[in-house]
């Protein structure tokens, strides 16, 4: 039997629901915190699952992922993790023709175009997850610019996007793919337009419901994955992917492509933990 590690973090105050469901379906696996000095070579496969504090220690996390990749198989692959942990990948996908929420990237020392902070906008770090560091600003360019400056003061690049109001009524659709095949979908309620709570201490609490992806959503999600594979050959062979879409009058648009450590909402779809376990077992058993 192959030895499998599900990589998490010591900072989680309680077991994540996805991890709990996956451990039940994959009893040969064990949780291991990425910060620990473990013997990663003892595993046939290390699967990134809930190492969500990496956003504050990205260099350390990527160095750890590189060390793991030298001694065993990492999922998703190191090249994918390097690319996907900075949201500037959205610019590459947009250039490839993917419908993406308009995105302006502002590195420290750069100026924000006036048009980017007009109206209702979201300002967030390019390296972030769980809505950490994200701020919804309504009709206040001054407040938007101030948040950009706060991120810059922390040494972080900023991402500025228009706030698409349809998310308040329709939510955000997440399509989960396993081994390149659509497994299930979920709807995430709007987060930034309501009071944000963090019961885990690591990420914002989400309002999740089971969903069925529409044909249009599935078409865009598959376009996203094809484009990612063209940009980055390592993305042609993914264990998991989550494509987050927002509704617009013209159709779904990409908000984020989650290839590093996404919640997979396994408890919201019948058979999802078992399908995920089967995909992990197949990868662990496959020739390197």
């Amino acid at each position: 039997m192959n030895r499998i590690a599900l990589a998490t973090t010591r900072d989680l105050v309680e077991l994540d629901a996805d991890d709990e469901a996956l451990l039940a379906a994959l009893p040969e696996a064990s949780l291991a915190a990425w910060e620990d000095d473990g013997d990663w070579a003892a595993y046939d496969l290390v699967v990134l699952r809930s190492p969500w504090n990496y956003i504050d220690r990205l260099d350390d996390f990527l160095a750890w992922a590189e060390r793991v990749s030298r001694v065993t198989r990492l999922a998703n692959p190191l090249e994918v993790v390097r690319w996907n942990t900075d949201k500037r990948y959205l610019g590459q996908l947009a250039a490839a023709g993917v419908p993406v929420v308009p995105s302006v990237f502002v590195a420290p020392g750069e100026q924000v175009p006036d048009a980017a902070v007009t109206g209702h906008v979201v300002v967030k770090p390019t390296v972030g997850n769980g809505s950490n560091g994200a701020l919804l600003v309504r009709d206040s360019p001054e407040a938007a610019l101030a948040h950009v400056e706060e991120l810059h003061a922390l040494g972080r690049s900023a991402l500025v996007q228009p706030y698409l109001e349809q998310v308040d009524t329709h939510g955000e659709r997440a399509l989960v793919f396993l081994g390149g095949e659509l497994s299930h979908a979920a709807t995430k309620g709007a987060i930034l337009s309501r009071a944000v709570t963090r019961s885990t201490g690591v990420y914002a609490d989400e309002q999740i419901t089971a969903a069925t992806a529409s044909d249009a959503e599935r078409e865009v999600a598959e376009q996203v994955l094809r484009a990612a594979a063209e940009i980055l050959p390592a993305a042609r062979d993914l264990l998991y992917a989550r494509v987050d879409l927002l509704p617009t009058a013209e159709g779904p648009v990409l908000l984020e492509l989650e290839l590093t450590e996404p919640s997979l909402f396994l408890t919201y779809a019948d058979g999802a933990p078992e399908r995920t376990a089967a995909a992990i077992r197949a990868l662990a058993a496959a020739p390197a």
Side-chain angles (χ1 to χ4, degrees):
M1 182 176 293
N2 294 106
R3 298 158 297 176
I4 299 166
L6 306 180
T8 184
T9 171
R10 294 188 304 235
D11 285 355
L12 275 180
V13 297
E14 59 185 25
L15 185 63
D16 178 68
D18 266 5
D19 290 345
E20 184 175 13
L22 190 50
L23 286 169
L26 192 70
E28 64 267 36
S30 58
L31 283 177
W34 75 271
E35 307 98 322
D36 292 344
D37 294 326
D39 180 13
W40 299 101
Y43 298 104
D44 300 293
L45 174 65
V46 176
V47 181
L48 295 171
R49 288 311 317 127
S50 49
W52 293 317
N53 63 345
Y54 79 86
I55 60 173
D56 297 317
R57 300 174 55 188
L58 181 59
D59 289 344
D60 290 341
F61 178 73
L62 292 178
W64 167 82
E66 184 173 356
R67 290 195 302 273
V68 171
S69 294
R70 291 196 197 110
V71 298
T72 189
R73 176 176 284 173
L74 180 69
N76 280 321
L78 174 63
E79 295 86 351
V80 172
V81 173
R82 285 175 173 156
W83 181 72
N84 190 238
T85 44
D86 191 310
K87 299 183 199 308
R88 282 178 286 194
Y89 70 78
L90 290 171
Q92 293 178 273
L93 290 172
V98 171
V100 176
V101 177
S103 302
V104 174
F105 305 94
V106 191
E110 295 180 345
Q111 298 297 313
V112 185
D114 291 341
V117 291
T118 300
H120 300 179
V121 300
V122 174
V123 181
K124 55 189 174 184
T126 60
V127 177
N129 58 22
S131 298
N132 287 296
L135 180 68
L136 168 59
V137 180
R138 298 185 187 274
D139 298 315
S140 178
E142 297 79 12
L145 291 173
H147 193 53
V148 170
E149 291 176 1
E150 289 175 7
L151 294 174
H152 285 177
L154 296 171
R156 296 189 171 187
S157 293
L159 167 58
V160 184
Q161 298 174 312
Y163 185 71
L164 304 184
E165 303 286 347
Q166 294 95 327
V167 71
D168 289 335
T169 52
H170 297 286
E172 175 185 328
R173 187 81 82 224
L175 279 68
V176 176
F177 289 77
L178 299 172
E181 299 294 328
L182 179 63
S183 169
H184 57 280
T187 297
K188 299 195 292 178
I191 294 177
L192 297 179
S193 59
R194 60 178 175 82
V196 177
T197 59
R198 289 183 169 83
S199 60
T200 65
V202 178
Y203 58 88
D205 296 327
E206 297 175 322
Q207 297 174 341
I208 308 298
T209 56
T212 299
S214 68
D215 290 343
E217 289 166 343
R218 181 167 185 160
E219 182 177 340
V220 170
E222 291 174 346
Q223 179 187 359
V224 169
L225 294 176
R226 287 195 302 271
E230 287 296 321
I231 293 168
L232 190 71
R236 295 172 185 168
D237 188 20
L238 299 170
L239 172 60
Y240 51 80
R242 199 185 85 199
V243 184
D244 293 346
L245 304 174
L246 291 180
T248 73
E250 291 74 34
V253 295
L254 178 68
L255 178 62
E256 291 193 26
L257 172 60
E258 300 271 12
L259 304 180
T260 302
E261 33 58 55
S263 292
L264 299 177
F265 309 130
L266 299 181
T267 60
Y268 294 89
D270 290 343
E274 290 75 20
R275 287 192 295 275
T276 307
I280 291 173
R281 287 191 183 103
L283 181 59

